[in-house]
Amino acid sequence: MRISYLLAAAVMAVGLAGPVAAQTTLKFGYALAPNSHYGVAAKSFDENLAKLAPGKFKIEQFPSSALGGEREMIESLQLGNLEMVVTSSGPVGNFVPEVAIMDIPFLFRDAAHARAVLDGAPGQELLAKFPAKGLVALAWGEQGFRHLTNSKHPVDTPADLKGLKIRTMENQVHMIAFRTLGASPTPMAWPEVIQGLQQGTIDGQENPMSVIVSAKLPEVQKFLTLTRHVYSPALIIMSKRTYDKLSDADKTAVQAAAKAGAKDMRAWIDQVESKAVSDVQAMGMKVVEKVDTAKFQTALEPAFAEYAKRFGKDKIDQIRNFK
Ligand code: PAF
């Protein structure tokens, strides 16, 4: 008697509240700490999605390479073991080869030029290539321009790079560049880099100020040269397996939240870049601030010829001259 009364009450309660809407959990991985531009993007994505699709999604963040290096996380997206990632473009060319054109050194004049290209036709055409690889690239974010750090000596000119073991991302375009400059490029996933620098298996690395500061590189690297040798785009990517299961309204919400995340990431970079050099100097880094980048560009001539063969000179010029 009592049990049937309870059951009836439960059925009534469900009836009044209506069916409970299913919530989709999105595991969101990234290589850096929560207090980095990637943390900013993930938080902004979460907050914006909560406004655009209230109660529909739960975001679980996995910062600091907790789910592996960037290449591994992208593989996990393809397999459907991970739903979202914010990553540098570094390893992305191993999945969508055309994207690596954006990793060419000295391609962009400044951040405004890069942002215009990525948000314009050339960038959007590249995003359209991802679904064929099991990935949905939602938005282009940013890390800033990459600079060189090392533990051996100040680098003023390309000649100073001779023989230095420089960790590069797992990225053919960057490896070609450093080999051409006379360094010894050593591709390595990010989670191994700090230990490699501490143990001296690599002498240096290159990353934007956003990473140099958030990963506390001044603790393991004495010299910084503001080479600005390459712009470093970032991408917010979702597993296609996850994306395809979403309703049209949720797809729109996810797209908009990712764009908001990318915008906030860029704003964070602007803010970090404005004071990062004095921050790292205060941490003891010796900074070569005035760099004759023309010397680096001249030394890279053979690499530029190789990129032209690989990507097509017309496509490179279209980006270089983009207004
Ligand atoms: O150098 C890299 O691998 C990337 O720039 C990093 C630090 C993982 C951020 O995407």
Side-chain angles (χ1 to χ4, degrees):
M1 178 69 180
R2 189 170 156 65
I3 289 178
S4 57
Y5 170 77
L6 284 175
L7 267 175
V11 168
M12 255 179 73
V14 169
L16 287 175
V20 180
Q23 195 179 48
T24 305
T25 298
L26 302 177
K27 294 197 289 308
F28 194 139
Y30 50 95
L32 300 168
N35 68 343
S36 66
H37 47 299
Y38 288 172
V40 166
K43 184 163 176 278
S44 166
F45 176 79
D46 186 355
E47 288 170 357
N48 280 287
L49 195 56
K51 281 188 213 137
L52 294 164
K56 300 291 279 299
F57 295 94
K58 181 170 176 237
I59 311 300
E60 285 178 358
Q61 290 192 37
F62 292 87
S64 308
S65 308
L67 302 178
E70 292 187 327
R71 180 202 260 267
E72 274 174 284
M73 286 193 281
I74 298 169
E75 278 164 5
S76 297
L77 294 181
Q78 287 183 315
L79 295 170
N81 299 333
L82 176 63
E83 286 77 38
M84 291 203 59
V85 73
V86 53
T87 174
S88 68
S89 60
V92 175
N94 297 307
F95 300 87
V96 184
E98 298 90 335
V99 168
I101 194 169
M102 297 297 178
D103 298 316
I104 293 178
F106 299 108
L107 182 64
F108 298 107
R109 293 180 295 281
D110 50 28
H113 176 203
R115 291 172 187 181
V117 168
L118 296 173
D119 295 342
Q124 300 308 300
E125 279 161 23
L126 287 176
L127 296 191
K129 305 212 177 283
F130 283 69
K133 308 294 173 174
L135 304 165
V136 178
L138 299 166
W140 287 104
E142 170 175 293
Q143 300 215 82
F145 281 86
R146 299 179 83 90
H147 306 291
L148 184 81
T149 70
N150 85 96
S151 56
K152 296 282 181 196
H153 52 72
V155 170
D156 288 296
T157 65
D160 300 323
L161 274 167
K162 201 162 174 46
L164 282 185
K165 270 191 124 186
I166 302 296
R167 174 268 175 176
T168 68
M169 295 193 285
E170 296 163 282
N171 180 301
Q172 290 289 332
V173 169
H174 287 192
M175 287 168 66
I176 290 169
F178 278 92
R179 194 172 303 121
T180 307
L181 288 170
S184 173
T186 310
M188 194 182 269
W190 177 251
E192 295 156 38
V193 173
I194 302 294
Q195 204 181 17
L197 293 171
Q198 275 165 342
Q199 295 179 347
T201 48
I202 41 178
D203 301 317
Q205 64 85 53
E206 45 80 61
N207 251 303
M209 292 313 291
S210 56
V211 176
I212 295 173
V213 171
S214 64
K216 301 193 179 85
L217 282 171
E219 290 177 3
V220 285
Q221 293 277 266
K222 179 120 198 259
F223 303 101
L224 165 65
T225 306
L226 299 180
T227 43
R228 288 176 66 82
H229 55 276
V230 67
Y231 174 79
S232 194
L235 283 149
I236 301 178
I237 310 177
M238 184 177 245
S239 165
K240 187 168 182 298
R241 291 179 191 231
T242 309
Y243 189 79
D244 286 348
K245 287 189 205 134
L246 302 180
S247 67
D248 286 350
D250 287 349
K251 280 180 183 154
T252 306
V254 158
Q255 291 272 0
K259 288 198 170 56
K263 191 165 168 247
D264 288 343
M265 192 185 330
R266 287 176 179 175
W268 175 267
I269 296 295
D270 288 340
Q271 192 203 317
V272 169
E273 297 247 334
S274 67
K275 60 184 202 40
V277 171
S278 51
D279 285 353
V280 299
Q281 277 168 331
M283 291 173 79
M285 245 181 167
K286 303 263 172 269
V287 186
V288 178
E289 292 187 59
K290 289 213 167 55
V291 181
D292 186 352
T293 52
K295 282 195 179 143
F296 284 83
Q297 296 192 45
T298 307
L300 279 169
E301 289 297 346
F304 291 137
E306 209 164 326
Y307 303 142
K309 264 196 240 142
R310 198 176 273 227
F311 298 105
K313 188 175 173 327
D314 52 337
K315 285 219 164 66
I316 297 172
D317 286 346
Q318 189 203 359
I319 294 174
R320 210 182 276 288
N321 303 325
F322 193 87
K323 292 266 162 20

